[in-house]
């Protein structure tokens, strides 16, 4: 189960209180109807969900979690795969508004450009829940809550591990970075957290940083370019496992040994990534859980009933070294 925390100071007190109440098993709900809510009469909740795509192992596990949890919660799910395109997501959300679903949930492929369609949902009286990724809209009343990980923290944890590993390095440590798709919250935030952490040691330098779109193919292709352009690469930081896995092929093809010649750090901790870590091909993973379905369905029920929910609900995550991956792998759920 995820645990509630907050990113921004104004919400901290409320969310800490909510966290305490939820951990204690007490519903953290007020009675006030904040205006969110489709019709409350038929009992059955219909959710329109717009998914980013199927770009990674993380995404596949997330989709499965959402579909299974909707079925288990008795929520009718309308599901659309946007194939990593914002225009497809906007179209899907407009369809859901037209169909008068009770709740709209989506994982925004990029952070910007949502105000108009979110306003349309609000005007139609349909509550919106952001899941996995957030938007940068200034008007926080356009959605009820954001359920997902702290991506800045994931990047920071990755960077802090590297700082510790390289603390006795006497010369420059050359880092290349594979970013997620341009404009996505996890790409922006992981880059930021990592960059801030490695600033602790001026020897650690990002010599190249390019988007690999969170896919294996993207990771492989961009890593090939990096290897051609830079003879000395000491570290790869990939914003997800899949890009790291794609990069492994490029590194091996270039005659280098991943995990030894090049230290590899990724984010997610899906099974294939954890296997690479256990095998010593990756060196460190910051976890990001895709199992958001149960909490999402719970939130959908609450907002449908007009209950108050915390503005930010953060999933709990950890980190893995090779030894820890070996231990965790047999029980890994995704
Ligand atoms: O890390 C990546 C996926 O938004 C947290 O999207 C998600 C990211 C995840 O494609 O693998």
């Amino acid at each position: 189960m995820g645990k509630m925390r907050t990113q921004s100071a104004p919400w901290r007190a409320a969310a800490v209180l909510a966290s305490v109440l939820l951990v204690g098993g007490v519903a953290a709900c007020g009675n006030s109807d904040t205006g969110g809510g489709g019709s409350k009469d038929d009992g059955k909740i219909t959710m329109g969900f717009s998914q980013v795509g199927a770009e990674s192992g993380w995404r596949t596990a997330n989709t499965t979690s959402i579909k299974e949890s909707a079925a288990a919660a008795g929520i009718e799910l309308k599901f659309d795969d946007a194939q990593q395109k914002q225009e497809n997501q906007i179209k899907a959300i407009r369809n859901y508004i037209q169909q008068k679903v009770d709740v709209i949930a989506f994982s925004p492929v990029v952070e910007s450009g949502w105000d108009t369609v979110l306003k349309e949902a609000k005007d139609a009286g349909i509550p919106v829940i952001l899941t996995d990724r957030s938007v940068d809209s200034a008007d926080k009343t356009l959605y009820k809550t954001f359920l997902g990980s702290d991506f800045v923290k994931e990047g920071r944890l990755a960077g802090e591990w590297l700082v510790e590993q390289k603390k006795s390095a006497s010369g420059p440590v050359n880092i290349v970075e594979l970013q997620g798709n341009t404009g996505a919250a996890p790409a922006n935030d992981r880059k930021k957290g990592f960059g801030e952490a490695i600033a602790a040691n001026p020897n650690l330098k990002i010599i190249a940083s390019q988007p690999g779109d969170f896919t294996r193919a993207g990771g492989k292709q961009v890593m090939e370019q990096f290897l051609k352009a830079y003879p000395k690469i000491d570290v790869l930081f990939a914003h997800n496992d899949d890009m790291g896995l794609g990069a492994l092929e490029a590194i091996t093809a270039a005659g280098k040994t991943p995990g030894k010649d090049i230290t590899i750090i990724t984010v997610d901790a899906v099974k294939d990534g954890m296997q690479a870590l256990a095998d010593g091909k990756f060196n460190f993973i910051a976890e990001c859980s895709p199992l958001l379905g149960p909490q999402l369905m719970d939130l959908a029920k609450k907002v449908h009933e007009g209950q108050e929910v915390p503005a930010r609900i953060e999933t709990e995550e950890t980190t893995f070294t090779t030894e820890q991956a070996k231990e965790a792998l047999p029980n890994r759920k995704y």
Side-chain angles (χ1 to χ4, degrees):
M1 274 298 284
K3 170 175 137 194
M4 296 189 182
R5 280 184 243 124
T6 54
Q7 266 191 324
S8 60
W11 298 108
R12 191 163 296 143
V16 165
L17 175 63
S19 166
V20 169
L21 291 172
L22 277 192
V23 167
V26 182
C29 321
N31 287 327
S32 67
D33 185 338
T34 49
S39 58
K40 292 177 195 170
D41 35 30
D42 61 358
K44 178 100 175 167
I45 299 174
T46 301
M47 173 188 282
F49 187 91
S50 168
Q51 180 61 291
V52 168
E55 73 282 3
S56 65
W58 191 100
R59 190 63 55 196
T60 309
N62 181 245
T63 293
T64 304
S65 172
I66 286 159
K67 288 185 175 169
E68 285 179 359
S69 310
I75 290 178
E76 189 187 324
L77 184 70
K78 293 177 189 289
F79 184 92
D80 184 80
D81 174 338
Q83 301 183 338
Q84 297 238 63
K85 291 205 177 79
Q86 181 172 34
E87 67 204 73
N88 291 345
Q89 289 202 294
I90 292 175
K91 214 194 275 171
I93 293 168
R94 290 204 166 122
N95 278 337
Y96 296 145
I97 295 171
Q98 238 172 19
Q99 292 165 28
K100 297 189 166 52
V101 298
D102 296 302
V103 180
I104 291 172
F106 78 114
S107 172
V109 59
V110 291
E111 280 187 288
S112 302
W114 299 102
D115 289 21
T116 305
V117 73
L118 288 176
K119 178 93 175 24
E120 287 165 22
K122 191 180 175 188
D123 290 346
I126 302 174
V128 173
I129 300 174
L130 302 178
T131 165
D132 160 35
R133 300 181 182 181
S134 192
V135 300
D136 64 4
S137 303
D139 181 358
K140 306 292 178 210
T141 69
L142 293 176
Y143 55 91
K144 292 288 166 195
T145 181
F146 165 41
L147 164 68
S149 306
D150 180 345
F151 302 131
V152 176
K153 185 167 138 202
E154 291 164 354
R156 197 173 60 233
L157 291 170
E160 283 169 357
W161 178 83
L162 187 64
V163 168
E164 176 60 26
Q165 292 300 303
K166 302 288 181 188
K167 64 178 178 221
S168 45
S170 50
V173 175
N174 290 346
I175 306 167
V176 294
E177 181 179 34
L178 286 168
Q179 301 173 31
N181 64 285
T182 304
N188 294 340
D189 294 355
R190 287 171 185 164
K191 180 166 191 29
K192 179 171 188 274
F194 184 79
E196 284 171 2
I198 63 165
N201 180 349
N203 276 329
L204 303 183
K205 285 202 184 73
I206 298 179
I207 56 167
S209 181
Q210 291 286 331
D213 293 340
F214 282 127
T215 64
R216 286 192 195 201
K220 182 175 176 215
Q221 201 197 332
V222 178
M223 192 67 199
E224 279 166 0
Q225 292 165 14
F226 286 162
L227 286 159
K228 271 189 209 138
Y230 304 97
K232 182 182 179 289
I233 296 174
D234 302 303
V235 179
L236 163 64
F237 173 45
H239 288 185
N240 78 343
D241 288 337
D242 283 83
M243 290 191 293
L245 291 163
L248 288 183
E249 293 178 40
I251 294 168
T252 312
K256 301 198 182 213
T257 308
K260 295 206 166 58
D261 297 332
I262 299 179
T263 299
I264 301 180
I265 306 170
T266 65
V267 185
D268 278 355
V270 295
K271 263 189 191 148
D272 289 352
M274 290 287 272
Q275 189 61 57
L277 182 57
D279 294 344
K281 295 175 181 161
F282 286 0
N283 304 82
F284 190 73
I285 305 181
E287 185 188 43
C288 178
S289 174
L291 306 181
L292 303 176
Q295 279 172 295
L296 174 61
M297 300 310 148
D298 192 44
L299 285 165
K301 285 182 180 169
K302 286 181 175 157
V303 298
H304 180 61
E305 285 166 12
Q307 291 184 19
E308 293 269 16
V309 294
R312 174 76 171 100
I313 302 170
E314 194 182 307
T315 34
E316 229 183 330
E317 47 207 14
T318 183
T319 59
F320 296 97
T321 59
T322 290
E323 283 316 306
Q324 290 164 333
K326 281 184 193 161
E327 244 177 74
L329 248 181
N331 303 316
R332 206 71 190 149
K333 294 210 172 50
Y334 54 90

